[in-house]
Amino acid sequence: MKYKAVFFDFDYTLGNRDVYAYRLYRKMIEENSDISDPVEVEAAVQDMMIWDQKGNETKEYAKKMLKERWNIDLPYDNVNVWWDDRLWQYSCAYPDAEEVLEKLRGEGYLIGMISNGPSDGQRQKLEQAGLTDLVDSITVSGDIGVKKPDVRLFQLACERAGVKPEESIMVGDIFARDVLGAYRAGMQAVWYCVEQYMPCDAEIPVIHSLSELPELLKNI
């Protein structure tokens, strides 16, 4: 077998971050506002999801916009810390994640996770989602002080798993972090793009759901 290991990002790859971010933003707004109309509450939550930019924007920005648009003051001294301490509690996997990991393990692949974020938080997300027992190796940026797309994170993940980069596949949703970093590190990258009609001219394999991955791996 050409490839020995398959590494995954967590948020938006194994974990359905839209669901757990939504739940925590709703909790945030319900605890800190007097809005009673359910449609207005939902509008504020949906605004937060837009300002969040799929986790790529700071929570301080979302806090500022919430004040400007909805006149809601968040009392947290550091909203990013508040967020990181709680988000894992709502973590959940995509419906096909467990089945795909089990199938790949059954085919002899070593399974790893390479994730940006705080060490404890990312591990707790994996545990809360019920996937810890299916992952053999975990490498989180918070452990070593560098983030994707830094090739050192990918190289360390391969070293810890006992495989070479060229024997490894990386599956992730953010092209400029997961795909580019893995590509630069010498791994085979697979882009998990949930948008069905997003164009991609680069010669990188693309999947739109995890369930497509086992068949794809037979052909690369």
Side-chain angles (χ1 to χ4, degrees), residues 1 3 15 25 31-32 40 42 44 55 63 65 72 85 89 97 138-139 177 181:
M1 185 165 57
Y3 296 108
Y25 276 129
E31 288 185 348
N32 294 288
E40 293 200 3
E42 185 64 32
K63 176 182 178 180
M65 293 299 296
I72 297 174
D85 286 346
Q89 299 175 35
I138 299 172
T139 303
R177 293 183 187 174

Side-chain angles (χ1 to χ4, degrees), residues 73-135:
D73 276 312
L74 298 179
Y76 320 122
D77 291 334
N78 188 323
V79 68
N80 291 301
V81 171
W82 182 92
W83 179 269
D84 287 340
D85 286 346
R86 292 162 178 78
L87 184 60
W88 67 269
Q89 299 175 35
Y90 302 90
S91 177
C92 61
Y94 281 112
D96 52 357
E98 182 176 357
E99 180 181 353
V100 169
L101 294 187
E102 288 178 343
K103 183 175 180 61
L104 294 181
R105 283 169 64 93
E107 293 176 356
Y109 289 103
L110 181 149
I111 304 299
M113 183 178 87
I114 304 175
S115 180
N116 282 353
S119 180
D120 288 345
Q122 295 305 94
R123 285 174 166 78
Q124 288 169 326
K125 285 179 189 176
L126 189 69
E127 179 72 29
Q128 183 71 15
L131 301 178
T132 298
D133 291 343
L134 296 173
V135 176

